[in-house]
Amino acid sequence: MIDTGKYTGHTEGPWKAFEDDADTWSVGKHDPHTYNVMGICMLHPFSENKEANAKLMADAPLLLAEVERLREGIERAIYDFSIANENLNQYLKELIE
C-alpha cells in the first residue's frame, strides 16, 4: 500500500506539463493571475517519453486525490458491509492494506 501521508505539504495542484523549447518538457504550477509558472520538474532533453512522463507527473495531484477518494469509499464500504458479511469485510480490508 502507498503511504500517501508522505506527500503532505506537496505543491498544490493543478500542475501543468509544457514544452519549454524544442526538446525539453517541464512540469509546473501555473498562476493564471501572473502568468508565471513555478517550476516543479524539468525532464532531461535526452530522456525517453518526455511528453508522456511530464503529463503523468502533472497529473500527480489528481491521482493522489483519486487514491484518497477511493480509499475513503472502500473504508465506508467496509463499515457498511461489515455487519452483513464478515468475509467481505476481511477481503475489503486486505484491499486497502
Side-chain angles (χ1 to χ4, degrees):
M1 181 169 88
I2 297 171
D3 174 15
T4 57
K6 66 184 174 185
Y7 306 123
T8 301
H10 71 79
T11 302
E12 289 187 31
W15 296 357
K16 181 179 178 180
F18 55 94
E19 192 171 15
D20 293 336
D21 52 40
D23 246 358
T24 304
W25 278 83
S26 294
V27 176
K29 179 175 174 64
H30 180 256
D31 182 352
H33 302 292
T34 64
Y35 299 100
N36 291 333
V37 175
M38 182 186 77
I40 295 171
C41 177
M42 185 171 81
L43 284 80
H44 191 278
F46 299 112
S47 62
E48 295 181 10
N49 307 314
K50 295 179 291 281
E51 181 178 358
N53 290 339
K55 290 177 179 179
L56 177 61
M57 286 183 239
D59 281 344
L62 298 172
L63 294 168
L64 177 59
E66 183 67 8
V67 166
E68 291 171 344
R69 185 189 71 80
L70 290 170
R71 281 191 182 160
E72 287 178 15
I74 290 171
E75 288 173 1
R76 278 195 311 271
I78 289 171
Y79 179 78
D80 292 344
F81 291 116
S82 64
I83 296 171
N85 188 329
E86 192 61 36
N87 290 335
L88 179 60
N89 183 27
Q90 183 60 34
Y91 174 74
L92 290 173
K93 280 185 181 178
E94 290 171 5
L95 281 176
I96 63 170
E97 295 179 349

